[in-house]
Amino acid sequence: MILQATINYIVFPLLSLTLVLGFIRLLLGPTLPDRIIAFELISITAAGIIVVSAITTDQAVLLDVASAWAIISFLSVIAFSYYIEKWRGRP
Amino acid sequence: MSELLISILLVIGSFFMLVAGLGMLRMPDLFLRMSCSTKAATIGVGTLMFALALYFEDLGVATRALATICFIFLTVPVGAHRIGRIAYLVGVRLWEGTITDELKGVYPADACMPFGQECLIPDMDAQEVSTDIEESPK
């Protein structure tokens, strides 16, 4: 009971606020690497939200979703940095 | 008792995530933002996963949660290091209060593009950022 109340009134608002802050940085970040970092923060926060949803819905399967999500976000960051490195030498 | 412990762990984890978001918004520099977000978000997600492993009390779930924690602890610093190195090479300007720059002079001059020149990435508006840095009070 206390767990459900804590999740509903504290944990989900804090995580949503983190999403909002990351999205503000994603909108106004002055350079492209800033936006990539903000995107990484947003995806990690989404993984956290999936984990907390696994507790609220009592479905342990969502943990696999969170781990796959973490893998995909890491791959996306690596791909972004790779393409920035390729853009660097182009006239 | 167990519910109380899980609740405390969840609150700690989400608080660390919030700290990461605040640092992402408030820090003056790309590199400071990156250090803030990676450390705090890694600890936050790790604590949330630990709470999940305590909640289900199942060996398979706990093992998967631990594996995911290990994966996040391994991969997030790697991605941050790569982004930071690429950003330094591309020419993102450091914060003016930065004391040490150990990479200064390490790379050859043509590999490291100064930020004041024309930027190759179309998103990086060099003019706007440079005026923003100059107008800040010393």
Side-chain angles (χ1 to χ4, degrees):
Chain A
M1 200 54 67
I2 183 175
L3 183 61
Q4 201 67 36
T6 308
I7 286 175
N8 282 337
Y9 291 113
I10 299 176
V11 175
F12 271 141
L14 288 182
L15 290 176
S16 310
L17 195 57
T18 309
L19 276 184
V20 170
L21 294 175
F23 194 73
I24 291 173
R25 179 50 71 189
L26 185 73
L27 280 183
L28 53 83
T31 63
L32 186 57
D34 281 310
R35 292 172 209 260
I36 297 173
I37 295 298
F39 172 74
E40 189 187 7
L41 177 70
I42 287 175
S43 61
I44 287 181
T45 313
I49 287 178
I50 291 172
V51 167
V52 180
S53 312
I55 294 183
T56 43
T57 59
D58 211 355
Q59 295 280 329
V61 189
L62 288 179
L63 179 61
D64 300 338
V65 181
S67 64
W69 186 279
I71 292 172
I72 291 175
S73 85
F74 171 66
L75 283 183
S76 74
V77 168
I78 292 297
F80 274 131
S81 65
Y82 173 73
Y83 282 114
I84 288 180
E85 194 176 17
K86 288 198 73 169
W87 280 346
R88 187 166 59 88
R90 187 175 299 173
Chain B
M1 181 58 199
S2 176
E3 276 203 349
L4 192 61
L5 183 63
I6 293 166
S7 307
I8 291 172
L9 280 178
L10 284 177
V11 169
I12 289 174
S14 54
F15 175 72
F16 271 111
M17 300 295 285
L18 181 68
V19 167
L22 276 178
M24 177 64 70
L25 189 61
R26 294 293 297 166
M27 282 290 178
D29 189 5
L30 168 76
F31 303 97
L32 292 174
R33 268 176 223 142
M34 198 163 56
S35 82
C36 211
S37 83
T38 50
K39 283 167 195 157
T42 307
I43 294 180
V45 173
T47 316
L48 292 181
M49 294 266 180
F50 190 60
L52 180 91
L54 280 186
Y55 176 76
F56 280 105
E57 291 179 348
D58 183 29
L59 184 61
V61 175
T63 311
R64 274 178 285 172
L66 203 62
T68 313
I69 289 174
C70 288
F71 181 79
I72 288 176
F73 268 57
L74 282 178
T75 56
V76 168
V78 172
H81 173 260
R82 190 160 163 81
I83 288 286
R85 182 175 168 274
I86 295 303
Y88 191 87
L89 279 178
V90 156
V92 175
R93 180 172 280 187
L94 299 177
W95 182 41
E96 61 180 2
T98 305
I99 297 174
T100 61
D101 182 9
E102 292 187 347
L103 279 182
K104 179 178 279 186
V106 170
Y107 295 109
D110 54 344
C112 187
M113 187 181 62
F115 197 71
Q117 297 176 1
E118 73 272 14
C119 252
L120 298 183
I121 298 176
D123 197 9
M124 296 170 77
D125 197 355
Q127 211 64 29
E128 180 188 341
V129 175
S130 64
T131 54
D132 190 17
I133 288 177
E134 284 170 6
E135 282 174 3
S136 63
K138 297 270 174 90

